[in-house]
Structures are given as C-alpha cells and as structure tokens.
Amino acid sequence: MPEGGVTLKRWLAVLAGAAAIAAASGCDRSPATGQAALRAPDVVYEPTPHFVVTEMLKLAQVGANDVVYDLGCGDGRIVIAAAKRGARGVCVDIDPQRITESRAKAQRSGVAERILFRNQDLFETDIADATVVTLFLWPSVNLKLRPKLWRELRPGTRVVSYIHSMGDWPPREAQNVEGARGPRELFLWVIESPPN
Ligand SMILES: C[S@@+](CC[C@H](N)C(=O)[O-])C[C@H]1O[C@@H](n2cnc3c(N)ncnc32)[C@H](O)[C@@H]1O
C-alpha cells in the first residue's frame, strides 16, 4: 500500500477515536438531543397572544388525533394549548432558551409527555408526521419555508400562520383577530395532492 494510504488510514482511526471520546464525555451536542449552538434566529421572539392561540387552534380544528408542530415555538404556548385539547405536538426552536422554557411550561401544565422538544433549525427538522403546522414567523421566512411544507407534509395537513401570508399561495381561509395593536390576520392552508 502506498505511504499516503497508510497515513489516511491512521487519520481515520484517530478521528474515530476522538469522536468516541467526545461522545463518551457528553460532548455530543447534536441539535436533536442537546442545547445546540445553532445560528442566529431568523425571527426575533414575540409570543402570540393567548386568545389568538385559541383562534389558531379553532381555525385548524385541532383535536385529539392531531400532531401539532410549532416551527419557532417560543415558550411553547401553541403546542401546550393543543396538548391540553388532547393532541400530541412538537416544539421546534433554534434558541435553546426557548426550548428550556417550553419544556418547563409544559411540565407545569401537565402535558410534557405529549410533546417532543427539538432545539433545531426549523428548516432542518423533520415535519413529515405533522397533521397541523403553526407559524408566527416573517413573510420572507414563510416564503422560504413553503417548498419544505409542500415537499414533506401529507395531503390534508393544515398550516396556520399568524399575521403573515405565503405570497401567491392562496389561503383556504383568512380571519381577522383583534389585537392590542389593532386587527391582525390568521391564515389557513390545507396541503393538497398534487402540491398546491
Ligand atoms: C415570533 S416568535 C413565535 C413564537 C411562538 N411560535 C408563538 O407564536 O408564540 C418566533 C420564534 O421562532 C424562533 N426561530 C427563529 N428562527 C428559527 C429557525 N430558523 N429555526 C427554529 N426556530 C426559529 C425564534 O427563536 C422565536 O422563538
């Protein structure tokens, strides 16, 4: 074997050893399992008012058979409210502090065992088993997310967004809600087959 081949083999062995030591010492901080050091959020944190959360869940007709994902979950209030209706849910946030808060609030509300908490980038998280997706992001982020929703969600999945639309993807329904700072809109889309 040429010398270069031996060197490469030795390097691979060293790297494998280092990875094993890191994992054994708890240094493995994969986004799905730990407090990940991720990139900066695409949208700053601002919670949806509780009465709007209720309207979002009503608009999506969330019930006990649903799996509700909030992409950018903040303090988890939407998924927690869904879990109180008997649904299961997944809280996804890029900010580890938000995930810590969500988990603590879900525990206080007695619904933590119905919820998965993922400190992940919403563009990278697996959403295939969602039946409802809720969003309070920004218009440009909604647009960037659209292809992922169409690609990964099953027909019949409902998507609800607070305030921001999805560009030229027409909503199935739009509804006004009164907020402290004036009227705001809620939008509902339903994933169709073939994609909208
Ligand atoms: C406007 S807040 C909405 C919070 C919550 N969904 C609600 O309605 O109360 C947006 C949230 O998205 C999170 N976020 C922003 N960019 C993200 C990304 N790329 N991946 C996951 N979470 C993200 C922020 O950390 C923040 O908690």
Side-chain angles (χ1 to χ4, degrees):
M1 186 179 280
E3 207 181 345
V6 173
T7 309
L8 179 64
K9 250 175 110 176
R10 285 183 63 187
W11 261 112
L12 288 174
V14 169
L15 286 175
I21 290 166
S25 64
C27 295
D28 177 18
R29 293 293 194 197
S30 69
T33 56
Q35 301 268 298
L38 298 166
R39 61 184 181 78
D42 293 295
V43 180
V44 293
Y45 176 54
E46 182 189 339
T48 297
H50 284 289
F51 76 91
V52 176
V53 171
T54 305
E55 293 303 317
M56 291 173 84
L57 299 182
K58 267 199 229 162
L59 187 60
Q61 300 190 344
V62 170
N65 292 327
D66 281 310
V67 180
V68 179
Y69 275 63
D70 189 17
L71 299 181
C73 66
D75 68 357
R77 60 183 59 199
I78 296 178
V79 178
I80 290 169
K84 286 180 180 170
R85 291 174 165 229
R88 288 179 295 121
V90 182
C91 284
V92 181
D93 208 291
I94 204 164
D95 183 340
Q97 193 190 333
R98 301 275 94 88
I99 292 297
T100 303
E101 269 173 40
S102 302
R103 191 181 278 113
K105 287 194 173 180
Q107 276 162 355
R108 284 202 294 276
S109 302
V111 293
E113 68 291 340
R114 311 186 65 75
I115 300 175
L116 291 177
F117 301 90
R118 295 187 191 157
N119 178 208
Q120 266 190 333
D121 186 337
L122 62 89
F123 290 105
E124 288 171 17
T125 202
D126 180 353
I127 57 172
D129 69 334
T131 61
V132 174
V133 172
T134 59
L135 307 169
F136 177 22
L137 300 168
W138 280 340
S140 59
V141 182
N142 276 4
L143 282 185
K144 193 175 161 198
L145 185 62
R146 230 169 58 159
K148 179 179 170 74
L149 301 176
W150 290 345
R151 199 171 53 242
E152 295 182 26
L153 295 176
R154 290 166 299 177
T157 303
R158 292 91 81 200
V159 178
V160 177
S161 172
Y162 177 43
I163 301 184
H164 305 299
S165 72
M166 289 272 182
D168 61 4
W169 184 18
R172 175 83 56 101
E173 233 177 294
Q175 175 185 320
N176 277 319
V177 283
E178 268 311 315
R181 282 178 276 160
R184 295 279 186 267
E185 264 189 303
L186 287 182
F187 300 95
L188 169 75
W189 297 266
V190 180
I191 300 293
E192 292 170 8
S193 181
N196 312 60

